[in-house]
Amino acid sequence: MTENGWHMSATSLQDVLDESGNPVQLLRDSQVGAYIYPVVPAEFTNFRREVIAWQTSAVLFDQSHHMVNLWVSGPGALALFTDTGINSTATFPVDSAKQFVPVSPDGGVIGDGILFRLAEEEFVFVGRAPVANWLTFQAGRGYDVDVRKDDRSPSRPYGKPVTRDIWRFQIQGPRAWDVIEKVHGGPVEKVKFFRMGHLDVGGLQVRTLRHGMAGAPGLELWGPYESYDRTRDAILEAGREFGLEPAGARAYSCNTLESGWIPSPLPAVYTGEGMRPYREWLGARSYEATNALAGSFVSDRIEDYYLNPWELGYGGFVKFDHDFIGRSALEAIDPATQRRKVTLAWNAEDVGTLLANPVAQDGPTYQFFDLPNANYGSSNFDEIRDGSGEVVGLSLFTGYSANERTALSLATIDPDVPLGAEVRVIWGEPGGGSGKATVQPHEQFAVRAIVSPAPYAAMARETYQAGWRTAATV
């Protein structure tokens, strides 16, 4: 039936689900291995130094390889995004961007990413595979558009040359604007958050997006991939005097812990008759078919892993000024009763127990806690329990912040659990663990944690969040 975890007779996600019988078990036993940020080195110096740079000086993020670029153009392009996104497109000027969020007919989030409006009829979506796949499928259902998908680079290229349509960098941190203006050779207009502009880099004019991923004003910039080395070298040379650090893949994954973005919810596509044509279209080796589901929360119902926009902090993006897939399901939800996004600050003593466990000579074995990214699945779901042992939420992304010197996780939690409350995160899977490639037999461990704001980092809360709230409503 399977070879190395692949369903050999299956040609679609629906075939895989029909053969497996239970989507939860299928995903919990995925053999895809650890999620990898491809091509970019793990570290250039060390991940602590690189993480600290985005709060003290400046950092160069390389986002050229781990995301899909989906280029959409034509008279029907805006209609495609209007019909599939919870976001309003009533105001969406050229040279602006939105954080774009589609949901299933039943209201479960499929994913999110950044949608750029490059020209009147030209867009690019940048993000993980689930949204790009969904948009590609929908585009083929009667929209007057051309679609070109530039897929993420392979996780394990094994020495083969890797190329993309474009490179994509971010310059972030308190000294970022000094670097930007030195690269440009003069003053650069600080356009509004999520608005686009242009920058000269080594004689090449490239497009930019005003961003603030690390909390301080910065820019995302992109250009043709053949200019990758030349552009990167020019930025690093200009940033040398300002303490600019190139960030490796290990540091990159820490940024979301401080800024509060939950990067990998389980796409809500595995059930529902309305989604069957999509599942029959998706390949048997697609992201959705091989996604690794991890953590202490286990339910036989895959629907229990679906999350709505309010649970992920996207409630403010929902606008009922247009018809879109899933609108009626979201209209039936009372936002006041929904779980909300928070950060959990893990107890240092309990984290120390987990970190010391691999060298303990006796006693229980716990699920390995890696630094700085502790996730061992693509979509992570750990139980959060209150003092009485009741499940009050889900911890969704876990790691370590060198800036905060704290282990953190991003979570969604019941509305009546206040900031400052102590809860327990159940680390590790029940029954000794699943059959995933990233899991060895272990026992569970209850980690104390304090319910804290999201974003957790003060700089991100004070300067980034205000702009981020407008990212879907430009």
Side-chain angles (χ1 to χ4, degrees):
M1 181 70 69
T2 65
E3 180 180 313
N4 296 326
W6 302 114
H7 290 249
M8 301 307 294
S9 63
T11 61
S12 71
L13 171 62
Q14 188 62 56
D15 292 339
V16 172
L17 295 174
D18 290 344
E19 288 184 14
S20 70
N22 185 328
V24 173
Q25 198 60 49
L26 168 74
L27 300 179
R28 286 183 60 80
D29 288 340
S30 171
Q31 297 302 298
V32 73
Y35 181 85
I36 292 174
Y37 294 86
V39 182
V40 178
E43 295 172 304
F44 290 96
T45 54
N46 64 77
F47 80 82
R48 285 87 58 205
R49 173 172 163 174
E50 295 164 14
V51 166
I52 291 168
W54 67 61
Q55 282 200 6
T56 60
S57 55
V59 67
L60 179 64
F61 291 124
D62 188 342
Q63 301 174 306
S64 303
H65 294 282
H66 74 280
M67 295 182 291
V68 177
N69 298 309
L70 188 74
W71 309 91
V72 182
S73 61
L78 182 60
L80 170 65
F81 296 112
T82 302
D83 295 346
T84 54
I86 66 176
N87 314 73
S88 173
T89 59
T91 303
F92 195 178
V94 172
D95 287 337
S96 69
K98 293 179 182 288
Q99 187 169 359
F100 177 78
V101 182
V103 299
S104 72
D106 294 327
V109 169
I110 293 172
D112 77 308
I114 306 301
L115 178 62
F116 299 76
R117 189 169 196 176
L118 305 173
E120 193 65 27
E121 296 183 352
E122 184 181 357
F123 299 79
V124 60
F125 169 81
V126 181
R128 289 197 175 194
V131 174
N133 290 341
W134 177 243
L135 288 170
T136 303
F137 171 74
Q138 291 295 333
R141 309 188 91 191
Y143 290 92
D144 186 7
V145 294
D146 293 317
V147 175
R148 178 167 54 86
K149 186 180 181 185
D150 176 27
D151 221 337
R152 82 191 295 267
S153 298
S155 295
R156 299 169 178 87
Y158 298 117
K160 297 179 181 178
V162 175
T163 187
R164 299 293 305 274
D165 286 353
I166 59 172
W167 50 258
R168 189 176 298 275
F169 298 134
Q170 279 195 21
I171 306 171
Q172 301 286 348
R175 302 302 303 273
W177 218 258
D178 296 319
V179 178
I180 290 163
E181 293 196 330
K182 185 173 180 183
V183 166
H184 183 70
V188 176
E189 180 187 3
K190 293 184 179 180
V191 297
K192 292 181 180 179
F193 191 83
F194 262 49
R195 295 297 178 108
M196 294 162 57
H198 294 86
L199 191 72
D200 288 325
V201 185
L204 177 70
Q205 188 176 78
V206 301
R207 302 192 79 167
T208 66
L209 177 72
R210 174 73 182 275
H211 213 326
M213 192 172 168
L219 287 180
E220 180 171 315
L221 54 154
W222 61 96
Y225 194 77
E226 57 266 25
S227 64
Y228 175 97
D229 290 328
R230 159 188 168 189
T231 306
R232 183 178 180 276
D233 290 347
I235 295 170
L236 290 175
E237 179 58 33
R240 190 186 309 276
E241 68 173 289
F242 305 111
L244 178 74
E245 295 276 356
R250 295 184 78 190
Y252 183 81
S253 67
C254 302
N255 186 267
T256 190
L257 293 169
E258 298 178 16
S259 65
W261 173 60
I262 298 172
S264 53
L266 185 75
V269 303
Y270 298 94
T271 50
E273 279 305 302
M275 297 295 281
R276 175 175 283 272
Y278 180 53
R279 294 193 297 272
E280 292 173 342
W281 176 87
L282 276 169
R285 297 194 180 190
S286 61
Y287 175 100
E288 293 81 355
T290 60
N291 184 30
L293 184 61
S296 58
F297 176 73
V298 179
S299 170
D300 287 336
R301 297 181 68 255
I302 194 69
E303 295 91 341
D304 291 340
Y305 295 86
Y306 297 166
L307 298 161
N308 67 47
W310 289 274
E311 293 173 302
L312 289 166
Y314 298 150
F317 296 179
V318 180
K319 301 298 178 187
F320 297 120
D321 64 351
H322 64 298
D323 290 326
F324 60 90
I325 296 170
R327 172 175 171 161
S328 60
L330 296 188
E331 285 180 315
I333 293 175
D334 177 5
T337 65
Q338 301 306 297
R339 286 174 172 170
R340 71 190 194 282
K341 181 174 68 173
V342 297
T343 307
L344 301 180
W346 289 32
N347 177 273
E349 182 180 354
D350 290 349
V351 173
T353 297
L354 291 176
L355 294 176
N357 188 251
V359 295
Q361 298 302 306
D362 51 27
T365 297
Y366 301 126
Q367 171 61 26
F368 188 70
F369 190 97
D370 205 359
L371 294 178
N373 185 341
N375 303 300
Y376 54 99
S378 303
S379 297
N380 306 277
F381 291 81
D382 288 317
E383 290 182 348
I384 305 170
R385 294 185 176 271
D386 64 11
S388 67
E390 291 295 313
V391 176
V392 294
L394 297 167
S395 176
L396 303 169
F397 193 88
T398 302
Y400 165 74
S401 165
N403 285 314
E404 305 296 335
R405 295 181 64 85
T406 306
L408 302 170
S409 63
L410 302 174
T412 187
I413 202 164
D414 289 355
D416 58 348
V417 179
L419 294 179
E422 184 177 84
V423 294
R424 300 290 191 278
V425 179
I426 308 304
W427 180 251
E429 298 179 326
S434 62
K436 274 186 299 301
T438 53
V439 170
Q440 292 175 287
H442 63 270
E443 297 181 27
Q444 293 181 308
F445 183 72
V447 180
R448 292 167 287 177
I450 300 298
V451 180
S452 306
Y456 186 82
M459 179 164 54
R461 286 199 306 274
E462 293 162 7
T463 63
Y464 174 59
Q465 187 175 40
W468 175 81
R469 285 171 176 162
T470 71
T473 56
V474 171

